[in-house]
Amino acid sequence: MECTPRFKLRSMNTSNIRKLVRASATYDLLVTAPFATPWTFAIAHGHLSALNEALGGPPLPAFGTIHMLFACLLGSIVLVWSWLRLRDPQPQFATYDGTARLMFSSWFAWTLAGGGMPLVWLFIVPEFAFGVAQWYAVPPLFRRGSGRREDQLGDVAGARNVR
């Protein structure tokens, strides 16, 4: 018995992929901007802790200097990545961003499994949704075959004359 798929996933057109890349970048910019400096993160941490309590969880643990360092490093990197995608929303960025979002979603799920952090739901839902949407928009590199770049990106390559 031969097994054939009932439907075929198709890539989105280039214009819609660019809109999706910009939308995910805008979301990242808004959500992670408070994580970029120790001063803004201190304020955000207080608000996030209060929100977690309002959702039925405990207050967030206090952050020491090393915790602040890693939070700010993450915030800074995501801000730069967001700015790049806003200024130049290349369709192939959807694959990379989608991969990162699916990885982030798994870490959020790990945190949820630890319990007591209902706040995490506010992050995992959009992360996972953007991850799936971007992977649907542009098939990941390993699903494209090993042909020339133009063949791998399909109609996406038409957006930029890349050689």
Side-chain angles (χ1 to χ4, degrees), residues 38 60 63 76 160:
L60 298 181
F63 266 43
S76 298
R160 295 177 62 107

Side-chain angles (χ1 to χ4, degrees), residues 70-126:
F70 284 103
C72 293
L73 287 173
L74 174 67
S76 298
I77 291 296
V78 174
L79 281 181
V80 171
W81 174 238
S82 300
W83 186 248
L84 171 68
R85 291 177 293 137
L86 281 171
R87 292 193 40 96
D88 186 16
Q90 295 181 32
Q92 70 249 20
F93 290 165
T95 299
Y96 297 108
D97 192 58
T99 300
R101 288 181 187 282
L102 294 174
M103 290 168 59
F104 274 42
S105 294
S106 68
W107 303 324
F108 283 128
W110 176 79
T111 302
L112 281 172
M117 294 294 165
L119 168 72
V120 173
W121 282 107
L122 301 176
F123 292 93
I124 195 172
V125 170

Side-chain angles (χ1 to χ4, degrees), residues 13-35:
N13 69 42
T14 302
S15 175
N16 287 338
I17 294 170
R18 289 178 180 280
K19 288 176 187 175
L20 179 60
V21 169
R22 275 196 182 106
S24 70
T26 301
Y27 166 79
D28 284 347
L29 194 66
L30 295 172
V31 170
T32 59
F35 291 79

Side-chain angles (χ1 to χ4, degrees), residues 1-17:
M1 178 184 269
E2 187 176 321
C3 182
T4 58
R6 293 177 186 231
F7 62 91
K8 182 179 178 183
L9 291 178
R10 291 196 172 108
S11 296
M12 296 170 69
N13 69 42
T14 302
S15 175
N16 287 338
I17 294 170

